[in-house]
Amino acid sequence: MSDDPYGVDVVACKSRQQRLLAEMVEHGLEWVVLTRRESVQWLTGAYVGPLFAPAAAMNTEGRVTLVLPSRKTSLTVAADEVLPYEEKWCSTLRDEQRAASNTVMMSALPIKLRHVGGEWSQLGPDLLADCEGNVINIEPTIFRLRRQKDNDELRMLRRANDANRAMYKLAREIVEPGVNELDVYNELHAVAVQKLGEALTYFGQDFRSNARGGLPRDRKIEAGELYILDLGVGFRGYYSDNARTLAVGGEPSAKQVLAWERVSEVFPLVESTVRPGASCKQLFEEVQSLLDKSKPWVFNHHLGHGVGLAPHEGPHLNPSWDDTFAEGEFFTAEPGLYHEELRAGVRLEENYVVTATGCEKLTDYPLGL
Amino acid sequence: MSDDPYGVDVVACKSRQQRLLAEMVEHGLEWVVLTRRESVQWLTGAYVGPLFAPAAAMNTEGRVTLVLPSRKTSLTVAADEVLPYEEKWCSTLRDEQRAASNTVMMSALPIKLRHVGGEWSQLGPDLLADCEGNVINIEPTIFRLRRQKDNDELRMLRRANDANRAMYKLAREIVEPGVNELDVYNELHAVAVQKLGEALTYFGQDFRSNARGGLPRDRKIEAGELYILDLGVGFRGYYSDNARTLAVGGEPSAKQVLAWERVSEVFPLVESTVRPGASCKQLFEEVQSLLDKSKPWVFNHHLGHGVGLAPHEGPHLNPSWDDTFAEGEFFTAEPGLYHEELRAGVRLEENYVVTATGCEKLTDYPLGL
């Protein structure tokens, strides 16, 4: 066991491998070969960053082969075999890393392959070319399995939120008329790095005042505007995503306060509705109806989504999907109301985890304007 | 023409399309279909960031079809036809973006395809499944063409270096004993954002004192150490990469000064050697011989590489490749010497562009310790 409380949890990875194994049996698959970085990390714990091309394979005995950049093979991972591929030659990144990784993986797979699951968005024509049976796209299965977070993943997501907590606290100190959006962005980035004690693997979302969202502009914020800070970091591949709205100058208008109250009223509805088996789409529709009472202010985006190794995952609190909540899911709820007269709107975003009987809120930081 | 001097240069993109067209004729290809983000940007100017799955296709008449996320179709691009794919449903990113983009692209391609070039590391089994002739991997060709930078690309690379210039200037003000590596990292990030006036598309390389490299640690730097700052930003997809070494405390040892002098002597050799037709490998070997005279201090990494839409590109100043310099190439030269007694070494990295008769240095900022 590593001293690092956020080190890779091999036992938790193996429980994910067992869940994938059950799916393989159900689909009649003899092998699954994963080539998307998030999938490889999900299955084995190996985080390698965006410049590399790892791969992982598992057979029906649950044996896992992992192909990693040669300089990363000492990472703590959940795999029975770790094989290196040459990601660099004499320090220079190779253009053909994916092919090199695939070649190593092919050498570890049986010559005659039948009934394999692969990831179609990152497969390549070389990897399973000799497969004599079916190659099915396993991506939808992986995405479905990723919805349910294990304890190690919740630990990473909570840790990423430590950065968010520090960012909102600082924002309440520094946001005032005349401050430049770029400087707010930089100071929030800095406090997130200080809080986590390491460089982030992602930094983004919404940093514009008097706007619905977007990256920061070279622009001074003004008294009377609402400043939606929808903040996200990456902590070793895991994302955070929640939002607060601040009244620039500290004296929100009566309409701005009313909009904030209307948006805030969504959370009790979320908290009383969500439990395993509840419909995400129906929750979205109830919230849409509730917020539609505030016209001409509009709510015209999703209510929320899962977060994990991608910024958006299932479950989808969204009319375009028909998802059902299940225990262990980590999701955001981010109701908002927007209108020019609000300069330009309120969005509040909380994070929850679905429990056996309901949901638990994870974002305990102040919600006020 | 956009007011933005760094906006997409449609004419320059079209000249790249003509260069690719010449390669298609040579390979007997009827279509090229590009699915890697950097390739799509190189051909059409479309920068969409890491969360999306664009595609571009060109036929032998030079007609370009571009598939972009639906909310990005108003970007200025060099394409004859821009088709949207649904990257989100009601604000939520879809897991199956690559498949959605491929489906739109397939609908724009002829039903019967023969002799197509595709990018194998990002192709997917669906995209060219119905092709009746050969599908060749066009990636090596694209990487080769990318070595030669057009004026619009040099403009982007120079702009990215404006951030580096500002970072080294600030570093010389703030690096002193007792400063934390994380704080140096944060302040350099902040000044780069301020200089470019927008969020970076990348921020990285080496931020450790008394070490060869790596991301910053939660650690105070100490007098007498050498601090290698090998800095890189992303400016709308284009990378920067150069390095300076600072003596923490401002009083380098005689050995540290000597190592700096030995490393500095490499640049006159580079500048007198590089011209179209010169061997990159031979230059590497000459530098290796020169620096080997400083044993036990070691030089044991590449001498340099191209930079552009990837942090490492050709030409390779590296014994593992046998490249030849050509006019228009943008490359780094980054000699170094390392040893414990140097605490822990010196690396200096300059950028050059190959001209018709030699090379021009682009990094004019102070080189001293």
Side-chain angles (χ1 to χ4, degrees):
Chain A
M1 193 72 188
S2 156
D3 289 342
D4 180 354
Y6 306 105
V8 171
D9 185 333
V10 170
V11 173
C13 291
K14 287 193 174 169
S15 88
R16 289 191 278 282
Q17 293 169 8
Q18 289 303 311
R19 287 164 57 206
L20 179 57
L21 201 55
E23 297 282 338
M24 289 170 65
V25 171
E26 189 160 318
H27 288 95
L29 294 175
E30 297 177 357
W31 285 86
V32 163
V33 181
L34 303 181
T35 40
R36 296 175 65 257
R37 280 183 285 264
E38 310 93 276
S39 310
V40 171
Q41 182 175 2
W42 179 83
L43 194 74
T44 69
Y47 174 74
V48 299
L51 297 175
F52 303 106
M58 186 165 72
N59 68 12
T60 47
E61 275 132 45
R63 181 176 164 80
V64 172
T65 298
L66 179 60
V67 177
L68 288 180
S70 61
R71 290 182 66 178
K72 307 262 184 187
T73 50
S74 61
L75 291 177
T76 299
V77 294
D80 300 285
E81 178 182 30
V82 179
L83 302 173
Y85 80 89
E86 293 184 3
E87 77 279 21
K88 296 178 177 181
W89 283 342
C90 191
S91 312
T92 308
L93 291 162
R94 296 171 65 199
D95 297 331
E96 61 282 9
Q97 279 195 70
R98 174 48 64 196
S101 174
N102 286 356
T103 299
V104 173
M105 179 54 84
M106 282 186 283
S107 74
L109 295 174
I111 292 173
K112 299 289 183 191
L113 275 177
R114 302 170 305 171
H115 313 310
V116 187
E119 298 193 286
W120 285 33
S121 68
Q122 186 63 267
L123 186 57
D126 52 342
L127 186 57
L128 299 175
D130 294 333
C131 185
E132 296 186 341
N134 295 320
V135 180
I136 73 151
N137 185 9
I138 199 73
E139 278 183 41
T141 301
I142 299 288
F143 281 114
R144 179 163 47 76
L145 293 175
R146 275 172 52 188
R147 284 173 51 169
Q148 185 186 330
K149 267 64 181 180
D150 294 305
N151 282 336
D152 62 326
E153 298 192 281
L154 291 173
R155 196 158 60 228
M156 301 299 277
L157 292 164
R158 285 174 189 267
R159 181 61 177 160
N161 266 341
D162 286 345
N164 283 47
R165 182 180 296 104
M167 289 195 285
Y168 295 119
K169 181 167 182 291
L170 180 68
R172 291 181 188 278
E173 296 166 13
I174 65 174
V175 165
E176 59 182 27
V179 170
N180 192 299
E181 289 174 8
L182 290 173
D183 292 330
V184 173
Y185 176 82
N186 282 330
E187 292 200 44
L188 297 180
H189 172 264
V191 79
V193 168
Q194 284 160 352
K195 183 69 196 179
L196 297 180
E198 60 189 62
L200 312 177
T201 58
Y202 169 81
F203 183 59
Q205 267 105 297
D206 299 321
F207 299 89
R208 292 185 179 185
S209 185
N210 195 20
R212 283 178 67 126
L215 287 168
R217 299 162 292 190
D218 184 3
R219 172 191 180 273
K220 290 181 177 168
I221 64 176
E222 294 178 14
E225 296 176 351
L226 291 180
Y227 198 163
I228 297 172
L229 288 167
D230 190 328
L231 304 180
V233 303
F235 175 61
R236 305 181 190 180
Y238 282 86
Y239 287 79
S240 63
D241 184 10
N242 39 69
R244 296 293 184 261
T245 300
L246 305 189
V248 180
E251 294 176 8
S253 70
K255 285 183 174 176
Q256 289 174 334
V257 171
L258 182 61
W260 181 89
E261 288 170 355
R262 294 279 174 80
V263 173
S264 303
E265 284 165 11
V266 169
F267 297 113
L269 175 60
V270 170
E271 290 158 22
S272 64
T273 302
V274 174
R275 61 184 186 287
S279 162
C280 303
K281 183 179 188 170
Q282 196 174 319
L283 175 59
F284 171 88
E285 285 163 357
E286 285 171 23
V287 170
Q288 183 76 67
S289 297
L290 186 67
L291 292 174
D292 278 350
K293 292 177 186 160
S294 297
K295 283 181 181 170
W297 306 341
V298 298
F299 169 60
N300 54 1
H301 57 65
H302 56 196
L303 174 61
H305 52 84
V307 182
L309 289 166
H312 290 179
E313 302 189 342
H316 299 91
L317 289 67
N318 186 310
S320 302
W321 282 265
D322 194 9
D323 287 351
T324 301
F325 289 106
E327 189 176 354
E329 291 179 341
F330 179 105
F331 70 96
T332 80
E334 50 177 316
L337 284 169
Y338 309 90
H339 194 274
E340 206 174 296
E341 69 182 11
L342 296 173
R343 302 181 69 188
V346 174
R347 187 185 318 132
L348 302 171
E349 183 171 16
E350 302 278 36
N351 297 159
Y352 298 91
V353 61
V354 183
T355 64
T357 56
C359 64
E360 179 195 349
K361 191 173 78 169
L362 301 174
T363 36
D364 58 356
Y365 11 110
L367 199 64
L369 287 171
Chain B
M1 192 76 187
S2 157
D3 289 341
D4 180 357
Y6 305 105
V8 171
D9 184 332
V10 170
V11 173
C13 291
K14 288 193 173 168
S15 86
R16 289 191 278 282
Q17 293 169 8
Q18 290 302 311
R19 286 165 57 208
L20 180 57
L21 201 55
E23 297 282 339
M24 289 171 64
V25 170
E26 190 159 316
H27 288 95
L29 294 175
E30 297 176 357
W31 285 86
V32 162
V33 182
L34 304 180
T35 39
R36 297 174 65 258
R37 279 182 285 264
E38 309 93 278
S39 310
V40 171
Q41 182 176 3
W42 178 83
L43 194 73
T44 69
Y47 175 74
V48 299
L51 298 175
F52 303 105
M58 186 165 72
N59 68 12
T60 46
E61 275 132 45
R63 181 177 164 79
V64 172
T65 298
L66 179 60
V67 177
L68 288 180
S70 60
R71 289 180 66 176
K72 307 260 185 188
T73 51
S74 61
L75 292 176
T76 299
V77 293
D80 300 286
E81 177 181 34
V82 179
L83 302 173
Y85 79 88
E86 293 183 2
E87 76 280 20
K88 297 178 176 180
W89 284 340
C90 192
S91 311
T92 308
L93 290 162
R94 296 170 65 198
D95 297 332
E96 62 282 7
Q97 280 193 69
R98 173 48 64 198
S101 174
N102 286 356
T103 299
V104 173
M105 180 55 85
M106 283 186 281
S107 74
L109 295 173
I111 293 174
K112 300 288 182 191
L113 274 177
R114 302 170 306 171
H115 311 311
V116 187
E119 298 193 288
W120 285 31
S121 69
Q122 186 61 267
L123 185 57
D126 51 342
L127 186 57
L128 299 175
D130 295 332
C131 185
E132 296 186 343
N134 296 319
V135 180
I136 73 150
N137 185 10
I138 198 73
E139 279 183 40
T141 301
I142 299 287
F143 281 114
R144 180 165 44 76
L145 292 175
R146 275 172 50 187
R147 285 173 50 168
Q148 184 186 331
K149 267 63 180 180
D150 295 304
N151 282 335
D152 62 326
E153 298 191 280
L154 291 174
R155 196 158 59 228
M156 301 301 277
L157 291 163
R158 285 173 189 267
R159 180 60 176 160
N161 266 341
D162 286 344
N164 284 47
R165 183 181 295 104
M167 289 195 286
Y168 295 118
K169 181 167 183 290
L170 181 67
R172 291 182 188 278
E173 295 166 14
I174 65 173
V175 166
E176 59 183 25
V179 170
N180 193 297
E181 289 174 7
L182 290 172
D183 292 330
V184 173
Y185 176 82
N186 281 331
E187 293 199 44
L188 297 181
H189 172 264
V191 79
V193 169
Q194 283 161 353
K195 182 69 195 178
L196 298 180
E198 61 190 61
L200 311 176
T201 58
Y202 169 80
F203 183 60
Q205 268 105 294
D206 300 322
F207 300 89
R208 292 184 179 187
S209 186
N210 195 19
R212 284 178 67 126
L215 287 167
R217 300 162 293 189
D218 184 2
R219 170 190 182 274
K220 289 181 177 170
I221 65 177
E222 295 178 14
E225 296 175 351
L226 291 181
Y227 198 163
I228 297 173
L229 289 167
D230 189 327
L231 305 180
V233 303
F235 175 61
R236 305 183 189 180
Y238 281 86
Y239 287 80
S240 64
D241 184 11
N242 40 69
R244 296 292 184 262
T245 300
L246 304 189
V248 180
E251 293 176 7
S253 71
K255 286 183 174 177
Q256 289 174 335
V257 171
L258 181 61
W260 180 89
E261 288 171 356
R262 295 279 173 80
V263 173
S264 302
E265 285 164 11
V266 170
F267 298 112
L269 175 60
V270 169
E271 289 158 24
S272 64
T273 303
V274 174
R275 62 185 185 285
S279 161
C280 302
K281 184 178 187 171
Q282 197 175 318
L283 175 58
F284 171 89
E285 286 163 356
E286 285 171 24
V287 170
Q288 183 76 66
S289 298
L290 187 68
L291 292 174
D292 279 350
K293 293 177 186 160
S294 297
K295 283 180 181 172
W297 306 341
V298 298
F299 169 60
N300 55 0
H301 56 64
H302 56 197
L303 174 60
H305 51 84
V307 183
L309 290 167
H312 291 181
E313 301 189 344
H316 300 92
L317 289 66
N318 187 309
S320 303
W321 282 265
D322 194 9
D323 286 351
T324 301
F325 288 106
E327 188 176 352
E329 291 179 341
F330 178 106
F331 71 96
T332 79
E334 49 176 319
L337 284 169
Y338 310 90
H339 194 276
E340 205 173 298
E341 68 182 12
L342 296 172
R343 301 181 68 186
V346 174
R347 187 185 316 133
L348 302 172
E349 183 171 16
E350 303 278 35
N351 297 160
Y352 298 91
V353 62
V354 183
T355 63
T357 57
C359 65
E360 179 196 348
K361 192 174 78 167
L362 302 174
T363 35
D364 58 356
Y365 12 108
L367 199 64
L369 288 171

